[in-house]
Amino acid sequence: QVQLVESGGGLVQRGGSLRLSCAASGDILTINAMSWYRQAPGKQRDFVASITEGGSIQYADFVKGRFAISRDNAKNTVYLQMSNLEPEDTGVYYCNVDSMLVAGGIHEWDYWGQGTQVTVSQ
């Protein structure tokens, strides 16, 4: 059974940095795109960044060069380095895998992690 486990969230002051990690476990052969989303209290879940297996990257406009996404394909892990954090970045950050190939040649779709809380104080 495939699982996504995020870590690295916490409380940080304005201007600080955090590095989030999301590790996919299970009988995984390949993963297509790995992404980060976030959800502030009372708001919808928003796209933050994504990276494909080949390294193509996309960012939401609000990232403004402050965040950097990367992945280690050998470890099935995606990272989000966040710098110059602002209170508006507060929320639960979720990892997403859009599709993957698992043992037996089975395609799995749209997996989500449980989320990790990021809180940025003034």
Side-chain angles (χ1 to χ4, degrees):
Q1 183 177 359
V2 175
Q3 285 188 320
L4 301 182
V5 179
E6 299 105 330
S7 60
L11 173 64
V12 64
Q13 289 186 333
R14 185 186 204 125
S17 299
L18 284 173
R19 188 190 193 214
L20 307 183
S21 299
C22 171
S25 62
D27 292 328
I28 299 169
L29 300 179
T30 60
I31 297 176
N32 187 22
M34 303 184 80
S35 304
W36 289 97
Y37 287 75
R38 72 184 189 187
Q39 188 167 19
K43 296 189 176 181
Q44 67 181 16
R45 191 173 297 186
D46 292 327
F47 169 79
V48 176
S50 68
I51 182 169
T52 67
E53 185 180 16
S56 296
I57 291 173
Q58 289 186 320
Y59 292 108
D61 289 342
F62 61 74
V63 168
K64 300 176 185 176
R66 300 179 298 127
F67 297 178
I69 190 171
S70 61
R71 67 188 277 177
D72 185 332
N73 291 330
K75 296 181 179 179
N76 291 328
T77 299
V78 63
Y79 306 96
L80 186 67
Q81 177 67 48
M82 304 186 293
S83 303
N84 197 18
L85 284 162
E86 304 168 353
E88 293 74 21
D89 296 315
T90 294
V92 179
Y93 283 68
Y94 296 93
C95 174
N96 172 265
V97 167
D98 68 342
S99 66
M100 68 182 88
L101 185 66
V102 301
I106 300 170
H107 279 90
E108 300 281 354
W109 306 93
D110 198 27
Y111 267 81
W112 291 89
Q114 83 288 350
T116 185
Q117 177 70 45
V118 171
T119 304
V120 184
S121 63
Q122 293 283 356

